[in-house]
């Protein structure tokens, strides 16, 4: 009889035991370039789950489900000169997990001037360059009459362009190229 009571108590306790909430994500981090991006992640839970967040530039489908599901995550192209980041929050029962999404900025080389004219006596001018990439500066070897020096500022670069006097009767021109070091 004692054994039967003990067995009955154990069965009642087992029947009353609550399943713990579970939540598993196939990734916790998405780090991408400035291009548009589509990926799939897997959400696994023993509870109904939902996704929120994305700040409008990250979307997902489906946004909720039960059990295990494949979620398509779409990141819009970043046309800004600044990188950006957001979080997707996945909630299932009492559990919450985040997926950090980081996207690089659009590469930018922005000049304050694209054309400068000088009198035949020469002169100087300042050119400001704002950049978020490594770059090279090239002056044609045939433009020995140009001197370019760099002064450095915190987030922008200023160049001083010195032009020597033109003692010939013909005009002269040269193209100075500011080029991203890692792309064309």
């Amino acid at each position: 009889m004692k054994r039967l009571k003990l067995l009955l108590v154990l069965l009642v306790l087992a029947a009353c035991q609550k399943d713990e909430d579970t939540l598993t994500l196939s990734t916790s981090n998405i780090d991408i370039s400035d291009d548009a991006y589509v990926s799939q992640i897997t959400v696994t839970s023993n509870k109904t789950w939902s996704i929120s967040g994305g700040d409008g530039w990250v979307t997902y489908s489906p946004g909720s489900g039960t059990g295990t599901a494949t979620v398509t995550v779409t990141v819009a192209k970043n046309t800004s000169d600044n990188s950006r980041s957001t979080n997707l929050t996945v909630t299932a029962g009492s559990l919450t997990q985040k997926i950090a999404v980081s996207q690089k900025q659009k590469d930018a080389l922005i000049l304050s001037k694209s054309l400068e004219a000088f009198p035949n006596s020469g002169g100087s001018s300042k050119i400001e360059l704002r950049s978020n990439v490594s770059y090279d500066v090239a002056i044609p070897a045939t433009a020995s009459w140009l001197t370019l020096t760099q002064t450095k500022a915190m987030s922008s670069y200023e160049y001083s362009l010195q032009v020597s006097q033109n003692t010939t009767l013909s005009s002269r021109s040269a193209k100075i190229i500011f080029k991203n070091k890692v792309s064309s």
Side-chain angles (χ1 to χ4, degrees):
M1 186 71 170
K2 281 187 176 184
R3 279 190 165 172
L4 183 59
K5 283 184 182 178
L6 181 60
L7 183 59
L8 186 58
V9 169
L10 287 176
L11 284 174
V12 169
L13 286 175
C16 293
Q17 199 172 37
K18 184 179 176 184
D19 285 343
E20 281 194 37
D21 295 350
T22 62
L23 175 60
T24 306
L25 305 176
S26 61
T27 190
S28 62
N29 190 353
I30 299 172
D31 189 14
I32 57 172
S33 72
D34 66 320
D35 288 330
Y37 177 81
V38 177
S39 182
Q40 293 185 326
I41 62 169
T42 303
V43 177
T44 304
S45 180
N46 62 348
K47 301 290 181 185
T48 299
W49 53 265
S50 64
I51 303 176
S52 61
D55 293 338
W57 54 274
V58 179
T59 57
Y60 38 84
S61 180
S64 62
T66 303
T68 300
T70 300
V71 177
T72 300
V73 176
T74 304
V75 180
K77 181 176 181 67
N78 188 356
T79 58
S80 166
D81 297 337
N82 298 310
S83 61
R84 58 187 180 180
S85 62
T86 189
N87 286 309
L88 299 179
T89 303
V90 183
T91 304
S94 63
L95 300 176
T96 299
Q97 290 188 27
K98 293 190 182 299
I99 300 170
V101 181
S102 300
Q103 189 176 35
K104 306 252 184 299
Q105 76 280 352
K106 177 184 86 170
D107 289 347
L109 288 171
I110 302 167
L111 289 171
S112 61
K113 303 174 188 177
S114 61
L115 180 65
E116 188 72 54
F118 294 91
N120 69 344
S121 60
S124 65
S125 177
K126 294 201 183 295
I127 304 165
E128 182 183 349
L129 169 70
R130 291 186 307 137
S131 172
N132 60 10
V133 295
S134 297
Y135 63 92
D136 286 322
V137 180
I139 297 177
T142 58
S144 60
W145 46 272
L146 278 175
T147 306
L148 188 65
T149 55
Q150 177 186 6
T151 61
K152 183 157 171 124
M154 182 67 122
S155 61
S156 64
Y157 303 91
E158 188 175 276
Y159 289 87
S160 177
L161 184 61
Q162 185 67 40
V163 178
S164 62
Q165 182 177 2
N166 185 357
T167 57
T168 68
L169 296 177
S170 57
S171 65
R172 56 189 182 181
S173 67
K175 189 181 281 187
I176 301 171
I177 300 170
F178 292 84
K179 179 189 165 298
N180 181 347
K181 286 184 177 183
V182 294
S183 73
S184 59

